[in-house]
Amino acid sequence: MAIIKPFRALRPQPALAKEVAARPYDVLNSKEAAEEAAGNPYSFYHVSKSEIDLPEGTDIHSAPVYAKAAENLQRLLAEGTLFAEASPAYYIYKLVMDGRSQTGLVCASSIDDYNKGIIKKHEFTRPEKEQDRINHITATKAQTGNVFLAYNDVPELNSLISHWQEHNAPVYDFVANDGISHTIWVVAEAAAVEEITHRFATQVPATYIADGHHRAASAALVQKASGEDVTADKPINFFLTTIFPASQLAILDYNRVVKDLNGHSKADFISRLEYDFIVEAIGHHEQKPSMLHEFSMYLDHTWYRLVAREGTYTTDPIGILDVTILQNNVLDKHLGIQDPRTDKRIDFVGGIRGLGELVKRVDSGEMAVAFALYPVTIQQLFDIADSGNVMPPKSTWFEPKLRDGLLTHTI
């Protein structure tokens, strides 16, 4: 069962919440972060993307970057922009995007649960990305990036969280510049905290990492290096999470762009695809895939509809995924991309950027071909995690994203 606990968050003064809130560190580059933080000394990018305060060209994984992050976090505390909660609390976090809302519980989740597989994974992690977060956590003595978890709905928990929202005022309620609404309530009342803790410990057999595998892995590695007993009730034995009921979540498509056709001409490439797909040219208008096993391809200013033929996939949890079908029957078979995690000829584009981003990158000449996929379902994610398997890289893109800086867990 899931072990969670309340914590004393570092959080911004209510009047500064919108100015502090920053998109997750890994969804934008240094230049984009610098542009968003320009003229705003309160922005949490000064902590999560601290290279923006160092000379241009600074290695973002160098020691001065992590030292600057720690310095900036202490500055925000010293100036009173951030403060520590008076007593341990849970936090309810509601996001609204395009009229759709989702509400999660912000808490400290057990690293022992992570180690034991009670917190389930569906992706491999990369050592260099783990090391970046390890260095950041070690320097700042804080987990600034939230791990996005999901669980199968528990009606009593849903009702409890809804009741708290209805009968208490939020501490933050603002609409970010991208139009996404962020509302947060503090749950510090002892009886409510105890009930939430008890219900997770008795009614939630597992939680699933939706987004944040590297943040979770890094927190576990920092804990291991500390030498602390992982079962002790100490902050270092827990990590920052927001847990959402599965029924409220939506996964966006995660698309692919490739630099070249691996020596094939356009006509030869399309001809090869026809062995495994029904290929139909649909013209210049963007068209997203409308169902599983259907793909949209953009090549030489034209969109194509690809439908996987029978025999190109299996029915096991991994084989049935569209990312697997594309990898096996296109990327590997014809484009020579055997390991998409390391091959420099492929890049990944989150669905939040729209199909226009695929057109832009192909038409610019940077890439030769783009593929749009139908989104993975939350049930597929759960099935794969339950089976002990992992998805191919860059299979899921969750929106809306939690904001960094609103709630930070110190260790």
Side-chain angles (χ1 to χ4, degrees):
M1 292 293 179
I3 303 303
I4 64 169
K5 64 177 290 186
F7 68 103
R8 295 180 61 213
L10 298 185
R11 61 184 183 91
Q13 299 292 345
L16 296 174
K18 183 175 180 178
E19 283 70 28
V20 169
R23 290 192 288 156
Y25 75 96
D26 55 354
V27 302
L28 74 174
N29 59 36
S30 303
K31 180 180 178 183
E32 291 169 330
E35 290 172 352
E36 291 195 18
N40 179 6
Y42 308 116
S43 173
F44 206 73
Y45 288 128
H46 295 292
V47 177
S48 62
K49 302 284 288 183
S50 54
E51 68 270 15
I52 67 175
D53 295 325
L54 295 172
E56 188 174 348
T58 298
D59 179 357
I60 65 172
H61 299 130
S62 63
V65 172
Y66 304 112
K68 192 66 175 177
E71 176 189 324
N72 286 342
L73 181 59
Q74 291 306 311
R75 172 182 64 79
L76 292 173
L77 278 165
E79 294 173 353
T81 301
L82 300 180
F83 68 95
E85 198 75 62
S87 60
Y90 288 125
Y91 303 86
I92 296 169
Y93 192 155
K94 178 182 177 182
L95 302 103
V96 181
M97 175 183 172
D98 298 333
R100 185 182 64 81
S101 69
Q102 61 187 59
T103 302
L105 182 78
V106 187
C107 61
S109 287
S110 166
I111 287 175
D112 193 37
D113 278 2
Y114 176 84
N115 293 340
K116 291 177 176 177
I118 293 170
I119 298 173
K120 302 192 177 215
K121 318 168 193 60
H122 69 266
E123 286 184 2
F124 286 125
T125 52
R126 293 165 57 180
E128 67 274 17
K129 294 186 72 174
E130 290 177 352
Q131 192 60 54
D132 170 55
R133 287 302 91 189
I134 290 169
N135 293 343
H136 197 274
I137 293 169
T138 302
T140 60
K141 303 294 189 292
Q143 297 154 355
T144 62
N146 217 312
V147 178
F148 183 156
L149 301 181
Y151 67 99
N152 281 305
D153 285 51
V154 175
E156 295 87 350
L157 270 171
N158 293 353
S159 296
L160 180 60
I161 290 171
S162 295
H163 183 270
W164 190 270
Q165 292 174 264
E166 292 167 4
H167 292 87
N168 295 275
V171 291
Y172 305 132
D173 189 5
F174 64 90
V175 177
N177 293 337
D178 57 5
I180 297 173
S181 168
H182 301 263
T183 310
I184 292 178
W185 292 259
V186 178
V187 184
E189 181 184 285
V193 167
E194 183 178 350
E195 183 174 0
I196 290 170
T197 305
H198 175 73
R199 290 200 178 276
F200 269 90
T202 57
Q203 294 183 284
V204 179
T207 58
Y208 300 79
I209 299 178
D211 195 7
H213 282 80
H214 288 93
R215 280 160 263 166
S218 300
L221 290 168
V222 170
Q223 188 286 326
K224 183 178 180 180
S226 74
E228 293 281 356
D229 175 6
V230 73
T231 63
D233 186 18
K234 294 185 176 182
I236 199 168
N237 295 331
F238 293 81
F239 64 108
L240 179 64
T241 63
T242 302
I243 312 180
F244 291 90
S247 64
Q248 296 185 20
L249 300 181
I251 303 177
L252 299 188
D253 44 312
Y254 214 153
N255 303 315
R256 277 86 169 119
V257 286
V258 180
K259 288 183 180 294
D260 58 68
L261 297 183
N262 197 32
H264 302 299
S265 68
K266 172 186 169 182
D268 179 45
F269 180 59
I270 291 174
S271 177
R272 288 170 178 266
L273 291 180
E274 288 176 336
Y275 285 103
D276 298 308
F277 300 88
I278 299 169
V279 181
E280 174 190 1
I282 54 178
H284 301 297
H285 298 292
E286 300 172 1
Q287 182 172 307
K288 283 190 170 188
S290 61
M291 61 183 181
L292 288 170
H293 308 338
E294 178 181 300
F295 306 81
S296 295
M297 179 178 74
Y298 186 69
L299 173 65
D300 192 23
H301 306 287
T302 301
W303 283 97
Y304 296 82
R305 178 173 176 261
L306 312 181
V307 179
R309 298 183 187 275
E310 288 189 16
T312 59
Y313 54 88
T314 60
T315 57
D316 65 88
I318 298 294
I320 202 168
L321 294 175
D322 283 352
V323 286
T324 304
I325 295 170
L326 185 72
Q327 175 61 37
N328 291 344
N329 298 286
V330 181
L331 300 179
D332 186 357
K333 186 174 183 178
H334 301 303
L335 296 179
I337 297 172
Q338 296 180 343
D339 187 351
R341 291 180 299 162
T342 58
D343 198 307
K344 303 300 184 184
R345 295 169 52 233
I346 188 171
D347 199 6
F348 306 89
V349 181
I352 191 66
R353 293 183 178 268
L355 297 190
E357 181 69 12
L358 304 183
V359 172
K360 174 183 169 184
R361 296 188 67 176
V362 173
D363 284 355
S364 71
E366 176 198 2
M367 297 291 178
V369 62
F371 300 94
L373 288 78
Y374 192 78
V376 172
T377 68
I378 193 72
Q379 189 57 54
Q380 284 180 314
L381 185 154
F382 283 6
D383 289 345
I384 288 168
D386 285 339
S387 72
N389 287 305
V390 294
M391 286 185 174
K394 307 296 185 183
S395 296
T396 58
W397 183 281
F398 285 87
E399 285 288 345
K401 300 286 188 187
L402 302 161
R403 288 302 199 259
D404 287 349
L406 295 177
L407 299 163
T408 294
H409 181 236
T410 58
I411 62 168

